[in-house]
Amino acid sequence: MGKAIKLLKKVFGGVRPFNLFMLFAAGIINSVGVTMFLSPVNLYDSGISGLSMLCGQLTPEWLGLSFFLLVFNLPVFIFGCKRQGRIFTVYSLFAVLIYSVSSYLIVNVLPVDVSFASPLAEQDLFLCAIFGGIISGIGSGLTIRFGGAIDGIEVLAVIFAKKLNLTVGTFVMIFNIVLYIAAGIIIQSWILPLYSIVTYAAALKTVDFIVEGLDRDKAAVIITDKSEQVCEALSEEFGNGITLINAKGYYSNNEKNYIYFIVNRFQISKMKGIVKANDPHAFVSITETSEVMHG
């Protein structure tokens, strides 16, 4: 008994109840998007979820989506545990389990007919593709935001992409392209795979929105000989923190200051005007940041 308790503490130590609650919700949301919009009209999700849907269509009814979700995802997350970490693996397995169970309940238990058409969008492929992608993207985005992943394709990408000299995003995209081509060949139609690309695009943008937010901050890098005047003017106008880093020009060999400054998109124009007014020769580079944590 004592060994079992120690094992449970080792596996689940550090797991946050609130994260589990959000992952529970994410799994249900993802299953709603897939089973009530995509699966009824034979559209495909991306990654292992899409592969599970295709396999579910080609096998006996008892080997459905829920079965293949577990069969394909569980080994992948366990295999990637060492690389991704224990907490990530626990969160991901929990999310996949909820996704699988809730998919089974929607299809086989709840009084909702999803056998031949979406209960909300009927057989309109475009509506099913858009709303199925958005809703499943919300579920996937919430899973990522709270420490896990609901599809093992990201884990495979992290493990194998570098060995294949690919980025993670490229690996996932190639997997999905192969999946949709295979689906088109198997079902002898390209309409559904093409609409599935719409689903993939809608889900991808939704995941970005959930994980990173709609209005990303901007990081400004300012290289100037008049750092004191520029910093004073920026601080007086915006009241933001400013970081100064010593820099040196390669060709001129002159000492300069590298100013790192965070603004939102509405402040960019004013910020550039202030810099130009204080140093017309300043070099300014503006990049998008996905997340900012304030100390």
Side-chain angles (χ1 to χ4, degrees):
M1 187 67 180
K3 291 183 177 180
I5 293 174
K6 287 182 179 179
L7 180 61
L8 289 173
K9 287 183 178 180
K10 183 177 180 180
V11 173
F12 296 101
V15 172
R16 298 180 179 180
F18 180 73
N19 286 43
L20 291 179
F21 172 78
M22 295 305 298
L23 292 170
F24 180 85
I28 294 175
I29 292 170
N30 207 90
S31 67
V32 169
V34 169
T35 60
M36 296 185 70
F37 287 91
L38 303 181
S39 187
V41 293
N42 294 327
L43 294 178
Y44 303 102
D45 198 4
S46 64
I48 290 180
S49 180
L51 178 61
S52 300
M53 295 172 72
L54 178 60
C55 291
Q57 294 172 5
L58 301 175
T59 54
E61 190 173 343
W62 64 274
L63 294 175
L65 170 64
S66 301
F67 173 80
F68 287 108
L69 283 172
L70 294 175
V71 167
F72 291 149
N73 276 304
L74 295 186
V76 171
F77 284 120
I78 294 172
F79 176 68
C81 180
K82 186 174 181 181
R83 176 71 67 89
Q84 300 297 112
R86 174 178 52 84
I87 299 297
F88 173 87
T89 302
V90 171
Y91 284 160
S92 300
L93 291 175
F94 178 76
V96 169
L97 180 62
I98 297 301
Y99 175 22
S100 176
V101 171
S102 56
S103 295
Y104 176 83
L105 293 176
I106 291 172
V107 173
N108 299 286
V109 177
L110 296 182
V112 180
D113 187 2
V114 293
S115 58
F116 69 95
S118 166
L120 300 175
E122 298 183 351
Q123 292 186 326
D124 189 316
L125 291 178
F126 184 73
L127 288 180
C128 288
I130 291 293
F131 284 96
I134 290 174
I135 295 172
S136 64
I138 291 172
S140 298
L142 286 174
T143 309
I144 295 171
R145 191 176 184 94
F146 289 95
I150 209 164
D151 195 296
I153 187 62
E154 287 91 354
V155 176
L156 291 177
V158 169
I159 295 172
F160 294 111
K162 190 174 183 180
K163 296 178 181 179
L164 298 172
N165 198 28
L166 299 171
T167 65
V168 170
T170 301
F171 183 96
V172 174
M173 184 180 66
I174 291 173
F175 180 93
N176 288 325
I177 290 173
V178 172
L179 171 65
Y180 297 145
I181 291 175
I185 293 172
I186 291 170
I187 66 177
Q188 297 184 341
S189 171
W190 297 104
I191 297 296
L192 297 177
L194 288 173
Y195 270 109
S196 297
I197 295 174
V198 176
T199 298
Y200 175 49
L204 198 63
K205 296 303 292 183
T206 305
V207 169
D208 288 343
F209 170 73
I210 296 296
V211 175
E212 300 174 354
L214 181 64
D215 187 18
R216 300 181 184 178
D217 287 328
K218 312 292 180 181
V221 173
I222 306 165
I223 300 177
T224 174
D225 295 320
K226 301 177 180 179
S227 57
E228 288 298 326
Q229 297 98 302
V230 172
C231 287
E232 184 178 350
L234 290 175
S235 179
E236 183 177 342
E237 178 64 32
F238 299 112
N240 293 6
I242 302 172
T243 300
L244 275 174
I245 303 171
N246 293 329
K248 188 176 183 180
Y250 175 73
Y251 289 106
S252 66
N253 205 35
N254 293 333
E255 298 292 335
K256 297 179 180 290
N257 277 317
Y258 171 146
I259 300 172
Y260 186 78
F261 188 61
I262 300 292
V263 292
N264 62 46
R265 61 184 174 133
F266 301 108
Q267 297 172 324
I268 291 175
S269 179
K270 185 174 288 187
M271 182 270 295
K272 290 193 292 186
I274 291 173
V275 173
K276 187 175 181 179
N278 285 273
D279 184 2
H281 303 291
F283 175 85
V284 180
S285 172
I286 300 171
T287 56
E288 194 171 72
T289 60
S290 60
E291 186 174 356
V292 176
M293 295 179 63
H294 297 282

